[in-house]
Amino acid sequence: MGKLADRVVLITGAARGQGEQEARLFVAEGARVILGDVLDGPGEALAKELGEDRARYVHLDVSQEADWTAAVAAAKAAYGRIDGLVNNAGILRFNELVGTPLAEFQQVVQVNQVGAFLGMRAVTPELVAAGGGTIVNTASYTALTGMAFLTSYAATKAAIVGMTRVAAMELAGKGIRVNAMCPGAIDTPMTNPDRVAADGGPKAADETGSAALDEFYGKVVPMGRIGRPEEVARLALFLSCEDSSYITGQPFVIDGGWMAGVSVF
């Protein structure tokens, strides 16, 4: 029996990157997963690969209430209930503060921050009905330290940490644990465009050009490399299973030691 045996988990941004690896690991650990994404081709292909008895794909724009309603309904129709949520979907925009258009800032807020809020709000009643469950939100290293040219992204990720803490306090008595992951640099299509195939899905690892990223993060990260999405997936698993049964309301940094060298004084 796996660590998520018979649990039903909805994962957003599941067609590639961290979400894809979370879906693969969760299925391997016994879960049935609902793969939510806007990349229909790659998402459907992943669900087919994982098997209909273990995975279903649903088109889910996390910024839209109606899509969340449909995703929850799809999960219940396929597997009868929802036991967990991984809010993974997000977007990244680089821009200096004074050069950031309002529309760009609002787009990042709508996907990253509002999307996580809508997800927690939509899934919580289902977790209560199931007798408890877990929510894992994806924040960022930048939520805790900041980083130049990432005003919109860092703002939304800091908001996710705040929402995680509040939700944890409100839902603890209902058997629901809420935690946040704060990844540093992870080698995914969001941080490495070379990983994106023509259909928007992921390229195979040997098809990507990551030499420049490897060189840069080899210098700034104490562990000497960029992180791998499967490493984040293992943290998501820990926070979604009984191994973390007495943990809620916490941000977990996974960054190869990068933040250890950042002064907070």
Side-chain angles (χ1 to χ4, degrees), residues 13-197:
R16 67 187 191 188
Q18 290 173 188
E20 176 192 353
Q21 295 304 318
E22 289 158 358
R24 291 183 182 280
L25 180 58
F26 281 29
V27 166
E29 289 290 343
R32 289 166 290 175
V33 298
I34 299 296
L35 312 172
D37 212 308
V38 295
L39 298 173
D40 296 335
E44 290 167 354
L46 179 60
K48 183 178 180 180
E49 178 187 341
L50 295 174
E52 189 176 78
D53 60 328
R54 284 296 172 187
R56 301 288 180 89
Y57 174 77
V58 60
H59 182 92
L60 173 56
D61 178 343
V62 297
S63 69
Q64 301 300 312
E65 283 187 274
D67 279 18
W68 275 107
T69 300
V72 169
K76 293 176 68 177
Y79 302 127
R81 67 183 193 278
I82 301 177
D83 302 297
L85 168 67
V86 179
N87 267 322
N88 169 74
I91 60 174
L92 174 66
R93 298 290 182 268
F94 288 95
N95 221 329
E96 61 180 347
L97 173 65
V98 297
T100 301
L102 177 59
E104 179 180 287
F105 184 89
Q106 290 175 325
Q107 179 192 29
V108 177
V109 169
Q110 194 68 23
V111 174
N112 295 1
Q113 180 178 338
V114 175
F117 158 73
L118 291 175
M120 289 194 292
R121 194 182 67 175
V123 170
T124 291
E126 305 305 323
L127 301 182
V128 172
T134 57
I135 297 173
V136 179
N137 293 321
T138 305
S140 169
Y141 162 106
T142 63
L144 306 175
T145 67
M147 185 178 292
F149 307 111
L150 290 181
T151 297
S152 58
Y153 185 79
T156 61
K157 296 304 186 176
I160 287 173
V161 171
M163 289 192 296
T164 295
R165 288 172 168 151
V166 172
M169 295 174 67
E170 292 184 7
L171 301 178
K174 297 174 179 171
I176 300 170
R177 296 186 296 105
V178 190
N179 289 291
M181 302 186 295
C182 298
I186 307 297
D187 195 2
T188 68
M190 188 172 75
T191 57
N192 182 3
D194 287 335
R195 281 207 175 278
V196 183

Side-chain angles (χ1 to χ4, degrees), residues 194-195 203-210:
D194 287 335
R195 281 207 175 278
K203 286 182 180 178
D206 58 359
E207 296 177 340
T208 65
S210 301

